[in-house]
Amino acid sequence: LLQNGDYVDEQWWTSTEHVRPDGTVGDWYAFTGWDPDDIFTACHYGGGYAYVDPYELAYCSEAELDELILQDDVTYARFVDVVESVAGALTEPAFASAADTTAADLTYYLQKPGIAAAMTELVMVNPAATDPMVAQAEIIQATNTLQANFAARRQLILDRVANYHLLNP
């Protein structure tokens, strides 16, 4: 759904603090199912290692598990159900809310002295982003682009799911 161009060779984990049953505080780790800096990007290596999905629902699928899903009609049908469910649950307003919240958090921190200049990847894209106002504008523009990409990709996936169901009643 997020058109991740590169996920097979990395594992991303996020951690949050949580209170254990004994009252102590510890980390809770969760697996992130995509490479966050590669959403809405072209499949790396031009898709040369990706398995073919005749319904084009799987994107840049390169893992052996992907191949197994794509080869088995029963498992693939379940995969389509899950994709449809996720696309139905992750609506444009829900995505926009998460993106806007993240942008608001980032723009808040970018107001603080030295933070914008320390954003090395942002400054590589736009050297003027060492200026907090420029950095904030870059974040807002990126957020708008992400939201537009998500809307287009979500609709494409919903159309492809509908096509799958037409061909596989």
Side-chain angles (χ1 to χ4, degrees), residues 91-108 136 139-148 150:
T91 62
E92 289 177 45
F95 186 89
S97 176
D100 289 342
T101 298
T102 301
D105 289 347
L106 289 172
T107 56
Y108 168 78
Q136 290 172 9
I139 295 300
I140 299 302
Q141 178 58 44
T143 301
N144 292 338
T145 299
L146 283 173
Q147 290 179 28
F150 175 76

Side-chain angles (χ1 to χ4, degrees), residues 2-161:
L2 298 180
Q3 190 180 345
N4 191 286
D6 179 17
Y7 78 95
V8 74
D9 60 342
E10 301 161 3
Q11 288 188 4
W12 290 85
W13 296 84
T14 53
S15 171
T16 57
E17 288 185 344
H18 76 105
V19 178
R20 297 181 181 126
D22 66 2
T24 61
V25 176
D27 290 324
W28 174 262
Y29 291 93
F31 177 70
T32 302
W34 59 84
D35 188 343
D37 64 342
D38 284 324
I39 63 172
F40 307 116
T41 63
C43 186
H44 68 270
Y45 305 116
Y49 298 104
Y51 296 108
V52 175
D53 176 357
Y55 299 98
E56 298 180 304
L57 288 169
Y59 182 78
C60 201
S61 299
E62 299 173 325
E64 291 177 15
L65 178 59
D66 298 325
E67 182 182 28
L68 293 172
I69 291 168
L70 294 170
Q71 289 179 351
D72 182 76
D73 292 340
V74 172
T75 306
Y76 189 83
R78 179 68 182 122
F79 167 71
V80 173
D81 290 344
V82 170
V83 169
E84 184 174 27
S85 175
V86 170
L90 187 52
T91 62
E92 289 177 45
F95 186 89
S97 176
D100 289 342
T101 298
T102 301
D105 289 347
L106 289 172
T107 56
Y108 168 78
Y109 286 107
L110 288 170
Q111 296 173 37
K112 298 185 179 295
I115 298 292
M119 303 295 292
T120 56
E121 290 189 29
L122 187 60
V123 172
M124 272 194 301
V125 172
N126 182 353
T130 57
D131 178 316
M133 295 302 290
V134 174
Q136 290 172 9
E138 288 286 336
I139 295 300
I140 299 302
Q141 178 58 44
T143 301
N144 292 338
T145 299
L146 283 173
Q147 290 179 28
N149 287 345
F150 175 76
R153 180 70 182 172
R154 181 176 180 272
Q155 188 58 57
L156 179 65
I157 291 296
L158 290 171
D159 292 345
R160 288 178 177 171
V161 165

